């Protein structure tokens, strides 16, 4: 399968490259920057939603599943992007938001029975929305209460209704016909709810859900993750054919196999919640590694802290090594390859859940707006003088160059995987005849035996915060 050991680059279209000076990234902009992806050596890219949207959740509130938001361009622009990508051997993944639409989607008025309504006046149960508060809101037009797992502007579709299933199957077929090679399934564990709308156990925390093995024995949840979910996924699969399906599943890893009966990959989010500590990292890797090749590793995305801000600049190079040498598929969030940190966000914020600071524009060069736009960027460009693609491209010691070298090395790593015993504070594992060692501590450690084929730092042994890949 093309995706088995693939590296997928996540593009946040608003913030990648603007081509028309309106300060918002667009599809033509992406097409003009595909060289960056081929230079890096990734296999595919995933576009966060590009569909028309009133932007309550920045594209994750879709008002037309088969259109292109005019701010991003036209269908022709999309087709050009896909053919330019395919010419370069890059696969294109789209974001499929199947759980909910925008409240402004015409379906909400034309097909109210495609949505989930309270049988009583007011919330029928204690379900909590991902960003906090009740998952039920009153529709001012009908006076009835509808379910929304996320923002109130995102009413949940009722997948128990076969018409909903068929409508979304058509969406999948449409984008396959337009050349999409796969789909990232947004919030997919929430797709199907208990038809009886029973109360969730009370201890549920709002988003993000705890993922660690101990905390994550998430009880039965009636507001999602229902048994019928897998059948609905099969319907999605039927429409998707052999295109890649990768699921955003916020459930404990031991529930992944159920999803993997139908999906090709499930995101491994464990790192997002693991401090940079060898024991915690090992604990994050071990259970997922048993699902060898079926976990898509993630170290940051448009919802969680940027890698540079989470692990700290001193561990950034090692984080790249870990992300890109584990078995299976890995996702790189745009900007992480140059070490972009969290930004200041916007005041007033665009995103009520505080995620603007993870979505600042790409920094291509040292100019004022980092080469992102000739206009006024929708979110400020953070520090283009400090870090940008052009400068790092020219610097053999840069983080970008490390990403490129890791991607080059990656196909040579064996397909097997075994965690090794190691010195305290070191995560070490075997990939065929290669060994990877990651020093998470500020202290010197020693190198496993072998010939060093890649090292993040100069110096003897394994210097503080350093990683190395060795060949036996
Ligand atoms: C996913 C997306 C997130 C969005 C939510 C609702 O978690 O990654 O950005 O807010 O789904 O669609």
């Amino acid at each position: 399968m093309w995706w088995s050991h693939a590296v997928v680059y996540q593009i946040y279209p608003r913030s990648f490259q603007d081509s028309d000076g309106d300060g918002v990234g667009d599809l033509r902009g992406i097409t003009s920057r595909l060289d960056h992806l081929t230079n890096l050596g990734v296999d595919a890219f995933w576009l966060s939603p590009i569909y028309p949207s009133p932007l309550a959740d920045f594209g994750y509130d879709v008002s037309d599943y088969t259109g292109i938001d005019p701010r991003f361009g036209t269908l022709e622009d999309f087709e050009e992007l896909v053919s330019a990508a395919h010419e370069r051997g890059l696969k294109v993944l789209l974001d499929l938001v199947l759980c909910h639409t925008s409240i402004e989607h015409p379906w909400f008025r034309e097909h109210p029975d495609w949505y989930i309504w309270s049988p009583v006046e007011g919330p029928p149960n204690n379900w909590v929305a991902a960003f906090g508060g009740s998952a039920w809101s009153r529709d001012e037009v009908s006076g009835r209460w509808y379910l929304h797992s996320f923002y109130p502007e995102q009413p949940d579709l009722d997948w128990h209704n076969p018409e909903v299933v068929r409508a979304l199957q058509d969406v999948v077929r449409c984008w396959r016909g337009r050349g999409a090679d796969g789909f990232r399934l947004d919030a997919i564990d929430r797709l199907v709810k208990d038809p009886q709308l029973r109360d969730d156990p009370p201890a549920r925390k709002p988003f993000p859900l705890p993922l660690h093995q101990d905390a994550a024995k998430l009880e039965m949840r009636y507001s999602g993750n229902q048994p019928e979910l897998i059948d609905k996924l099969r319907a999605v699969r039927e429409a998707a054919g052999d295109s890649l399906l990768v699921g955003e599943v916020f459930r404990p890893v031991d529930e992944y196999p159920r999803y993997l009966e139908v999906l090709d990959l499930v995101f491994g989010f464990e790192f997002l919640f693991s401090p940079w500590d060898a024991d915690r990292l090992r604990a994050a890797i071990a259970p997922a590694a048993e699902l060898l090749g079926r976990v898509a590793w993630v170290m940051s995305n448009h919802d969680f802290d940027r890698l540079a801000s989470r692990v700290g600049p001193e561990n950034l190079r090692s984080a790249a090594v870990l992300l890109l040498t584990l078995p299976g598929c890995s996702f790189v969030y745009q900007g992480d390859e140059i070490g972009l940190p969290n930004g200041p966000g916007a005041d007033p914020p665009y995103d009520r859940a505080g995620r603007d600071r993870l979505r600042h524009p790409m920094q291509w060069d040292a100019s004022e707006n980092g080469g992102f736009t000739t206009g006024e960027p929708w979110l400020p460009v953070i520090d283009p003088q400090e870090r940008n693609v052009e400068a790092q491209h020219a610097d053999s010691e840069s983080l970008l160059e490390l990403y490129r070298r890791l991607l080059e090395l990656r196909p040579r790593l064996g397909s097997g995987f075994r965690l090794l015993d190691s010195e305290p504070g070191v995560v070490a594992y075997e990939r065929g005849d290669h060994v990877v060692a990651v020093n998470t501590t500020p202290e010197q450690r020693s190198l496993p035996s072998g010939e060093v084929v890649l090292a993040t730092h100069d110096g003897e042994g394994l210097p503080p915060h350093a990683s190395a890949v060795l060949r036996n």
Side-chain angles (χ1 to χ4, degrees):
M1 291 297 167
W2 70 262
W3 43 263
S4 304
H5 303 282
V7 175
V8 181
Y9 187 90
Q10 179 188 356
I11 292 180
Y12 194 72
R14 284 184 74 81
S15 298
F16 195 61
Q17 178 64 54
D18 177 20
S19 73
D20 58 8
D22 68 354
V24 172
D26 48 44
L27 297 177
R28 281 168 176 260
I30 297 170
T31 308
S32 75
R33 290 294 186 184
L34 289 181
D35 274 354
H36 177 59
L37 275 61
T38 30
N39 286 341
L40 256 178
V42 299
D43 305 280
F45 57 90
W46 147 37
L47 299 173
S48 277
I50 52 173
Y51 322 107
S53 161
L55 304 184
D57 192 9
F58 279 81
Y60 287 94
D61 48 326
V62 178
S63 56
D64 172 6
Y65 280 102
T66 54
I68 299 284
D69 192 303
R71 283 164 288 220
F72 292 141
T74 62
L75 208 45
E76 289 70 51
D77 295 337
F78 176 77
E79 281 160 1
E80 266 169 42
L81 170 59
V82 170
S83 53
H86 287 168
E87 268 166 33
R88 290 159 189 263
L90 289 166
K91 308 276 189 194
V92 183
L93 309 189
L94 294 182
D95 216 313
L96 262 190
V97 189
L98 300 176
C99 178
H100 46 260
T101 68
S102 161
I103 198 158
E104 291 180 33
H105 195 298
W107 291 349
F108 192 64
R109 297 292 164 211
E110 288 165 13
H111 301 287
D113 57 326
W114 289 13
Y115 294 82
I116 301 171
W117 299 89
S118 168
V120 298
E121 214 172 293
N125 58 30
N126 67 352
W127 295 357
V128 177
F131 302 122
S134 170
W136 298 89
S137 285
R138 184 171 181 275
D139 167 32
E140 295 306 329
V141 175
S142 65
R144 294 160 72 205
W145 291 68
Y146 64 91
L147 178 70
H148 53 86
S149 293
F150 292 86
Y151 288 130
E153 294 90 337
Q154 295 165 294
D156 281 30
L157 286 161
D158 183 1
W159 277 72
H160 291 294
N161 183 335
E163 289 176 16
V164 169
V165 179
R166 281 196 293 271
L168 275 311
Q169 282 183 314
D170 286 347
V171 169
V172 174
R173 289 194 190 99
C174 168
W175 287 108
R176 269 188 76 200
R178 291 171 178 172
D181 302 291
F183 302 94
R184 176 254 187 198
L185 305 183
D186 184 70
I188 203 66
D189 55 306
R190 292 187 176 245
L191 195 67
V192 183
K193 288 87 180 167
D194 175 33
Q196 296 177 52
L197 307 178
R198 279 170 283 190
D199 270 356
D200 270 342
R204 269 204 54 212
K205 281 201 194 153
F207 198 70
L209 297 172
L211 278 199
H212 306 303
Q213 294 306 292
D214 41 356
K217 291 294 163 210
L218 282 180
E219 343 66 50
M220 173 72 182
R221 267 174 54 201
Y222 290 108
S223 55
N225 199 41
Q226 290 296 292
E228 301 89 331
L229 172 68
I230 302 304
D231 283 342
K232 305 303 173 194
L233 289 182
R234 285 191 212 287
V236 176
R237 167 58 79 195
E238 191 190 308
D242 61 0
S243 47
L244 170 63
L245 294 180
V246 47
E248 187 198 28
V249 175
F250 277 104
R251 298 292 303 169
V253 171
D254 54 13
E255 291 185 23
Y256 283 15
R258 191 162 83 89
Y259 286 84
L260 289 169
E261 283 173 29
V262 186
L263 306 183
D264 300 301
L265 296 167
V266 171
F267 283 122
F269 287 129
E270 301 283 305
F271 292 125
L272 297 177
F273 309 103
S274 298
W276 198 253
D277 164 278
D279 290 340
R280 294 297 293 272
L281 292 175
R282 259 195 300 268
I285 296 168
E290 279 172 27
L291 301 167
L292 214 65
R294 305 294 300 281
V295 169
W297 301 104
V298 176
M299 290 230 177
S300 82
N301 63 24
H302 63 293
D303 291 328
F304 297 96
D305 278 335
R306 275 198 171 273
L307 193 49
S309 299
R310 193 161 50 73
V311 303
E314 68 282 13
N315 292 310
L316 208 42
R317 299 172 81 81
S318 282
V321 171
L322 192 61
L323 178 65
L324 297 174
T325 61
L326 284 171
C329 185
S330 295
F331 277 61
V332 174
Y333 180 38
Q334 72 177 46
D336 279 355
E337 75 278 26
I338 54 167
L340 206 64
N342 289 349
D347 187 19
Y350 292 103
D351 180 58
R352 285 170 274 162
R355 294 169 295 175
D356 294 337
R357 58 207 171 83
L358 325 169
R359 301 171 178 180
H360 288 267
M362 260 308 265
Q363 302 181 170
W364 299 102
D365 59 42
S367 64
E368 194 191 348
N369 287 331
F372 165 68
T373 181
T374 54
E376 190 60 36
W378 75 284
L379 270 179
V381 181
I382 311 173
D383 56 2
Q385 281 83 21
E386 198 71 25
R387 65 199 102 228
N388 65 68
V389 171
E390 193 178 74
Q392 293 200 20
H393 188 63
D395 173 2
S396 62
E397 298 296 311
S398 68
L399 183 65
L400 178 63
E401 179 61 13
L402 177 67
Y403 269 78
R404 204 194 54 70
R405 280 164 51 217
L406 281 162
L407 275 148
E408 205 173 61
L409 170 69
R410 206 176 146 82
R412 297 207 290 277
L413 302 175
S415 57
F417 176 81
R418 192 163 67 93
L419 271 170
L420 301 173
D421 290 336
S422 50
E423 288 180 274
V426 174
V427 180
Y429 47 90
E430 209 175 68
R431 294 290 316 274
D433 57 1
H434 286 74
V435 169
V436 180
V438 177
N439 180 2
T440 64
T441 75
E443 290 142 31
Q444 179 73 29
R445 294 287 184 261
S446 48
L447 272 179
S449 62
E451 174 207 348
V452 176
V453 292
L454 182 143
T456 58
H457 294 63
D458 292 333
E460 289 299 299
L462 203 52
H465 304 293
S467 294
V469 182
L470 304 100
R471 190 174 39 219
N472 283 316

